[in-house]
Amino acid sequence: MPLERLRRVLRTSMEISVETSQNIANEVIAAAGRRQPPLPPSQAPKVPQPFNQFPPQQSVQIRAIDLLRKIGELTTPSTVNLASLSASWATRRYFWAIDDPTNQRRGQHFRLSQDARGIERHQKTLLSDEFGMGFAGLLVERLLSTNRFIDMDFALADPQQYFDVQHVGPRRPDFLLWGTNTPVYVVECKGSQTNWNCVVSQLRRGMEQLPSINIPGYTSVALVVATYLDRSRTRVIFLDPPNEEDDEPLTDKREWLSESTPEKIGPREWQVKDPKAFFEKMNIGTNLTLLRWAAQHSTAREFESRLDILPNPVQYPNAELETEETQFGDFLGVSIPLAPEIGINGPSLFRGLRREALIQLQHGELEEAMTPEISVTQPDDPRMSIGSSGTCLILRDLDI
């Protein structure tokens, strides 16, 4: 990707359309009615409805660096091996996938480049999925004020230990996202660049697989979020499947279940028995991801020990930390070349964690690191993005 094109992409704030409406919900309902084979009544999908915290349609301006930072955060694994560690650096490969805004005759909409649209089918599916995660996570962070997140594979890992069930099912949402004084958002992410009918089908499937998680004393909100990477613009659809009614209250026969784990009480409903223990696990999962983001793998192992996670036989050390001083404070982290093919003197990507938060995590201070006081106001520099959880992504050595 020529560096001048990269500069133009970074400098431009691009528009996306965020939508939630009864008309879209009705299209999904109709698609569910046409499903073949039909689901049995016991597995009937939730009925979609608009997400009432958003207007039916709104335009949101996003910057490329913010989206790529969020993709990087959400694809960084909480537990690590060499394969997942390599995949967690996926952020850098997507700079080239964003269309040059000067190619557009009117407006400055976010859309994919022709290069991205021309890749082979399996890579195209992966790109759509990861952009779907990035847009959903970024909008929930920005519009709903979340600063913590955990992927559901971690939350539902080892069900016999944490859930007292043999199997939690192959279908599960992608993420839990929450913040100070917010609900816990249970989010299923979809992404497509094919056509609108495909997007409606994805929303329909999301309704079939998204569970409710009931946490005593807290509000949980289920969301299916589908990103349509159309040729001319990008549309992000939010739908809200309501929680299922609990027709069968807890009975004495369930008293043997662990007091600190969620319990499956319906085909798509989980009951958390001990909210304090559940949130501790969620926060440990978030902190593990933050430590992996800053390549502090040895420190992450100390948090894993709190959950009795079996240690990886391969020991990964903490990376040597670099410091990036900004007007928003100091960040500690690591950097890699953006494009090694153009030489060691080319631009590099720095990703790090706010110094204060990292120091707290290094000392094992889970509670103090749970809800850092971080402004979501983004810097004017289009090469820098700061996340509400204390992360940063900075493109170094590129003149704008």
Side-chain angles (χ1 to χ4, degrees):
M1 174 180 190
L3 293 183
E4 186 52 43
R5 176 185 161 191
L6 174 59
R7 292 184 181 98
R8 290 194 296 268
V9 168
L10 289 170
R11 285 195 298 257
T12 305
S13 180
M14 289 167 276
E15 179 182 314
I16 63 171
S17 176
V18 179
E19 304 173 28
T20 180
S21 70
Q22 190 59 55
N23 287 340
I24 296 175
N26 289 341
E27 288 190 63
V28 177
I29 293 170
R34 296 190 297 268
R35 188 189 195 281
Q36 293 296 328
L39 290 172
S42 62
Q43 299 178 25
K46 298 180 178 183
V47 178
Q49 60 188 23
F51 181 46
N52 60 17
Q53 294 190 48
F54 289 170
Q57 183 172 352
Q58 59 181 315
S59 295
V60 176
Q61 298 292 319
I62 66 107
R63 304 184 310 159
I65 194 72
D66 295 328
L67 176 66
L68 296 173
R69 186 257 307 162
K70 200 62 188 179
I71 292 174
E73 285 182 2
L74 295 178
T75 58
T76 296
S78 52
T79 56
V80 71
N81 54 47
L82 281 177
S84 61
L85 185 63
S86 299
S88 72
W89 292 98
T91 301
R92 66 176 177 171
R93 71 181 173 199
Y94 289 135
F95 278 101
W96 60 266
I98 301 172
D99 189 42
D100 186 339
T102 60
N103 290 338
Q104 302 185 38
R105 294 182 179 178
R106 28 177 115 156
Q108 291 178 322
H109 298 281
F110 182 98
R111 64 185 190 183
L112 295 180
S113 65
Q114 288 301 116
D115 292 338
R117 291 194 174 278
I119 59 178
E120 60 93 12
R121 181 170 59 88
H122 296 294
Q123 292 187 46
K124 184 178 294 187
T125 298
L126 176 61
L127 182 150
S128 298
D129 288 345
E130 294 195 329
F131 271 66
M133 287 189 291
F135 274 113
L138 181 62
L139 291 169
V140 171
E141 173 188 326
R142 180 182 297 181
L143 302 180
L144 299 174
S145 302
T146 63
N147 64 353
R148 307 292 284 173
F149 58 91
I150 184 174
D151 70 82
M152 287 302 294
D153 284 338
F154 181 88
L156 299 181
D158 196 359
Q160 289 177 300
Q161 178 178 356
Y162 290 105
F163 295 85
D164 290 307
V165 294
Q166 296 295 318
H167 184 52
V168 297
R171 295 176 174 178
R172 59 187 66 179
D174 291 308
F175 300 101
L176 298 179
L177 302 101
W178 72 102
T180 307
N181 301 320
T182 76
V184 176
Y185 294 99
V186 185
V187 181
E188 172 72 19
C189 308
K190 303 292 186 182
S192 175
Q193 47 183 300
T194 305
N195 55 52
W196 177 248
N197 288 335
C198 181
V199 176
V200 172
S201 295
Q202 288 185 330
L203 289 165
R204 187 264 301 167
R205 289 195 298 272
M207 294 295 152
E208 294 176 2
Q209 66 195 69
L210 188 64
S212 303
I213 298 182
N214 298 324
I215 308 172
Y218 296 85
T219 301
S220 62
V221 175
L223 291 173
V224 179
V225 185
T227 297
Y228 181 23
L229 298 159
D230 196 4
R231 288 187 175 274
S232 60
R233 60 181 178 140
T234 293
R235 301 167 63 187
V236 185
I237 314 302
F238 279 73
L239 289 180
D240 175 12
N243 290 342
E244 298 175 9
E245 293 295 326
D246 183 10
D247 296 327
E248 183 182 356
L250 297 179
T251 61
D252 291 340
K253 68 182 180 181
R254 294 180 174 149
E255 290 300 321
W256 59 273
L257 287 167
S258 166
E259 288 296 320
S260 63
T261 58
E263 167 196 352
K264 192 173 183 181
I265 62 174
R268 295 190 197 89
E269 191 166 7
W270 293 81
Q271 179 70 39
V272 175
K273 305 259 305 191
D274 187 337
K276 181 178 179 181
F278 185 61
F279 269 99
E280 181 179 10
K281 181 183 182 184
M282 289 166 63
N283 279 299
I284 287 176
T286 301
N287 291 334
L288 285 171
T289 298
L290 296 178
L291 288 166
R292 303 293 185 195
W293 173 265
Q296 300 302 287
H297 304 299
S298 178
T299 304
R301 287 178 58 82
E302 299 174 14
F303 281 94
E304 287 180 331
S305 66
R306 302 188 186 190
L307 296 177
D308 297 324
I309 295 175
L310 291 176
N312 192 307
V314 180
Q315 304 290 322
Y316 297 99
N318 287 339
E320 184 176 347
L321 290 167
E322 304 170 26
T323 301
E324 186 75 23
E325 298 178 356
T326 78
Q327 66 187 98
F328 296 91
D330 292 350
F331 292 84
L332 304 178
V334 293
S335 63
I336 58 169
L338 175 64
E341 299 80 3
I342 65 176
I344 60 174
N345 295 322
S348 63
L349 274 179
F350 172 86
R351 67 183 206 176
L353 192 61
R354 188 177 291 273
R355 178 189 294 274
E356 296 83 357
L358 182 55
I359 289 174
Q360 290 171 351
L361 291 174
Q362 289 171 334
H363 286 84
E365 297 172 358
L366 175 66
E367 296 298 326
E368 289 79 356
M370 282 173 52
T371 53
E373 297 296 328
I374 293 173
S375 170
V376 295
T377 301
Q378 289 301 328
D380 294 331
D381 190 337
R383 298 165 297 186
M384 178 188 303
S385 177
I386 296 176
S388 59
S389 60
T391 57
C392 76
L393 181 69
I394 300 173
L395 186 54
R396 292 170 160 175
D397 303 319
L398 178 73
D399 295 332
I400 291 294

